[in-house]
Amino acid sequence: MERISTHQFIKLAAALVLGQSFLSAGSLSTMIAGRDGWIATFLGFLAGIPFILLALSISFRYPGKNFLQITEQVLGKWLGKIIGVIYILLTIRFGTLIVSQGVDMYTRTVLPIMSHYVIVLGILLIIIYLFYSGIEVLGRFSEVIYPIIFLSLIFIAIFIFPHFEHGELFPILADGLVPIIKVSVQVLTWPLGYILFLAGLLPFIPREKKEQKKMYKGVIRAVIIVSILSTLLVVVQISTFGPFEAARLTYGLLVLSNMVEVLNAISGVEVIFTLIWMGSIVLKSTALIFAGYWGIQTIFGIKGKIASIFLCLLYILIPIWLFRGSALVVSIWEMNQFIITPFVIVWLLILWGGDKWKRRKKAA
Amino acid sequence: MEKKKKSSLKLSLWLIILLLIPVFLGGCGGKKEVEELAFIIGIGVDVGSEEGSYLVTMQMAKPPVGSESGGGEVENFTVSVEVERLSLLTEKVIEAFNKTPFTGTVRVIILGEELAQQGINEVLDYFQRFYQYRRTIFMLLAKGNAKDIMENKLRSSELPSLSMIDILEGQMEFNTIPVTRLGHYLTILGRVSQCPLIPIVEVIKPGQKEIEYSAEKGYEQLIGDSGIFHEGKLVDTLNDIETKGYLWLNDEVSGRYILIESDKFRVVARVTSSKTKYKVKEMEEGMGITFRIKTQAFLSEVVEKGEGKGIKGIKEWEDFVKEVEILLREAIQKECEEAVEKSKDIEMDFIGIGRKIEMKNPKYWKEIKDTWPEELVDFPVEYDIHIDINQTGLSRSGPGSFNK
């Protein structure tokens, strides 16, 4: 069986927790928390750590099994199948939404009149290539692309500094903690979204005790780095646009990339950034296509070409026909808030409770 | 190991090629040759002849055909079209001039005075929404029509838009006008308590504004003063001194020349750096704000008046510098006071005092925000200005003092 190294696992974790969140984090966090959106972003990401660790700790008790198999074993076959079907539908919908978001990012900026088909097929070419190359290649892809995405975001933060508006971050906590908590819950969806992929990835990660410890530490470090980076980007957006304007912009970071000017000589470099960020969309969509594939394999026992062709077709057809423009942004938001967050939390807690109850029962 | 490295490199190459494919998939579809594009540098917007329409003036830089100069020379190509909404201008331009306007190069937006009085926020939606426009674009308010300003033939033959951009960029060194970029204007709009300012550009004839020149080859343009906007409408203007006061209070001065005068001398001080901080604190009259300005300057010109004997001794010189510091402090304070006075008179918080209170004392701000800016009228403002004259040039007494 294919395996990924601990290092690749950690890089994948960082890249997928970050995902495409940086595109809309500024708008999402300032809409409710205003100037304190950056605090909410930081706390929201950190709040995901216990859930990821919980998922890992459950999986280490069932080596070689994915979460759907563990669910069937702990909660029974039927409940496991029901959760599995929801999981498959969810990963397909979420994955295709992310591909559509990549298309949306291009059509709103550098390729506004380009046909959807061309961009969808362009993105899917890489996704399908990665998918057929296997999980190890995806791990290596994340090793290549994640540092580039990371540096591109830092580059923007540095070069946008001259456009900072004075004191936009202040006052801090003027509206109390309630808006921060509300936004943190919304931000939590990004680390939780990673658990969807992790649920299927588990059989491919190292099983040695020594490596498990490294994975715990590595995941914590990865989420902390991502939370700091995301917070920095929200700080940059609030400082540049002010909280009201930041909340109005659908993809604040695209506007920032459009503002980057170096010594009056270099400008109009947003196309480079969109290209780099496309890597992140590709990474997350591929991770979810894998998750969907593992789900179909586990629940329906369909293996090989049929499942993969079926999934690839869905990934081509849905982004082309279903999701566009503002409806897409709303769909992603609803998906995150009302489906992924409650589904993952409930699934994890039931599984954790069920596992504990079973163990106690066994011990008694 | 070697084999693994090779396969990893091969894989990386494949991934990079695949990642680049979406960019090339666009290929030549919908391509435009450079000659077919009109690179717009400045856009002027005025009220149109029909109700609800706009007269949009686009200033484009046209490379001269067959030019041998090889330099950055460009010809002025300015066209105006009347449209119901700004987005429609592309269609109109294509119909009339067989060129597609490319707006990614726009650096300045000039808004006509009449349009500004009617409201500019609706116009700005187009500039905010369309991705080609950068939020770093400068904004200017025309005295009169934007079209007239943009069609003005400058003596230097330079494009008016390019000249305006140069003037605004020159503000990095000397600050006499507020530089308002599109992004800044939109940010200030988000601060409910503050009114944004846009500097005013006007064509000046010889003799106007203390500028003399020969108008044979064209007219000069000047950016000074600024317009105050409330809910997108031009409600008032700031004169030169009030504008400079605004700059001091908002920490936007890094360089200035200031003339100070007493019964004994006339001195020009060059400000080399300045920092403005503020404190919101309880004062005798209630809660108030203190602006603390720390300025460094040097003397660039010293002329004695009357029958003075010149500043000869070291001690005399020290006293003189102290006196200059006091006068400079008063001059700066006067500019600040005029700005605050104007703000109180018209009950418009263009300085952003409300926002400063919000930053420093959010609790107090919550109490007064509903009555702001009416509350501004009686709001105590104090100044604490520190001047440091760090050098006085190469001499003490100048040639003007020799014979006295």
Side-chain angles (χ1 to χ4, degrees), chain A residues 188-214:
Chain A
L188 178 64
T189 192
W190 288 315
L192 291 185
Y194 164 66
I195 294 176
L196 285 180
F197 171 66
L198 182 66
L201 178 77
L202 296 168
F204 302 93
I205 60 176
R207 290 171 201 168
E208 300 81 22
K209 275 261 181 253
K210 208 174 90 187
E211 295 300 312
Q212 287 180 0
K213 266 190 182 172
K214 275 190 196 168

Side-chain angles (χ1 to χ4, degrees), chain B residues 20-226:
Chain B
L20 284 170
I21 280 177
V23 182
F24 298 120
L25 272 177
C28 299
K31 70 161 178 153
K32 286 269 172 215
E33 296 295 345
V34 175
E35 305 88 66
E36 294 169 34
L37 293 172
F39 295 98
I40 305 174
I41 293 168
I43 288 192
V45 190
D46 288 302
V47 172
S49 58
E50 281 175 35
E51 204 186 329
S53 69
Y54 302 103
L55 181 67
V56 185
T57 306
M58 286 158 285
Q59 189 141 70
M60 293 157 253
K62 192 178 157 197
V65 181
S67 166
E68 288 176 6
S69 63
E73 264 181 38
V74 282
E75 282 173 16
N76 187 346
F77 185 66
T78 303
V79 291
S80 298
V81 289
E82 190 157 331
V83 283
E84 281 177 44
R85 295 298 324 164
L86 268 75
S87 310
L88 303 174
L89 66 90
T90 307
E91 256 181 33
K92 265 266 166 74
V93 172
I94 294 171
E95 280 169 16
F97 306 101
N98 79 336
K99 287 220 183 249
T100 307
F102 178 71
T103 50
T105 44
V106 171
R107 302 275 319 272
V108 61
I109 299 168
I110 300 121
L111 303 155
E113 195 172 349
E114 197 185 335
L115 174 81
Q117 282 157 355
Q118 288 181 14
I120 60 167
N121 286 356
E122 279 189 19
V123 171
L124 295 183
D125 181 85
Y126 166 65
F127 296 106
Q128 184 199 30
R129 200 171 294 279
F130 188 29
Y131 85 101
Q132 275 187 359
Y133 292 105
R134 293 167 210 286
R135 295 165 85 87
T136 48
I137 294 174
F138 294 114
M139 285 177 78
L140 286 170
L141 171 65
K143 195 163 192 175
N145 288 331
K147 182 175 182 283
D148 297 339
I149 301 274
M150 295 178 83
E151 285 180 347
N152 172 37
K153 190 177 179 309
L154 288 175
R155 289 197 310 150
S156 60
S157 307
E158 198 183 355
L159 254 64
S161 298
L162 282 178
S163 170
M164 289 175 222
I165 294 162
D166 287 344
I167 294 171
L168 292 166
E169 284 181 341
Q171 290 294 306
M172 304 281 271
E173 200 178 347
F174 294 105
N175 316 91
T176 51
I177 47 168
V179 176
T180 306
R181 292 177 188 264
L182 176 63
H184 176 70
Y185 179 87
L186 294 171
T187 302
I188 302 292
L189 271 192
R191 300 177 189 167
V192 190
S193 63
Q194 193 175 347
C195 301
L197 295 183
I198 299 180
I200 299 171
V201 57
E202 61 182 304
V203 174
I204 46 161
K205 305 244 158 77
Q208 279 185 327
K209 300 261 176 180
E210 296 157 359
I211 294 177
E212 290 290 350
Y213 64 90
S214 157
E216 263 175 45
K217 286 186 177 174
Y219 294 103
E220 293 294 343
Q221 62 187 12
L222 182 116
I223 303 177
D225 305 346
S226 28

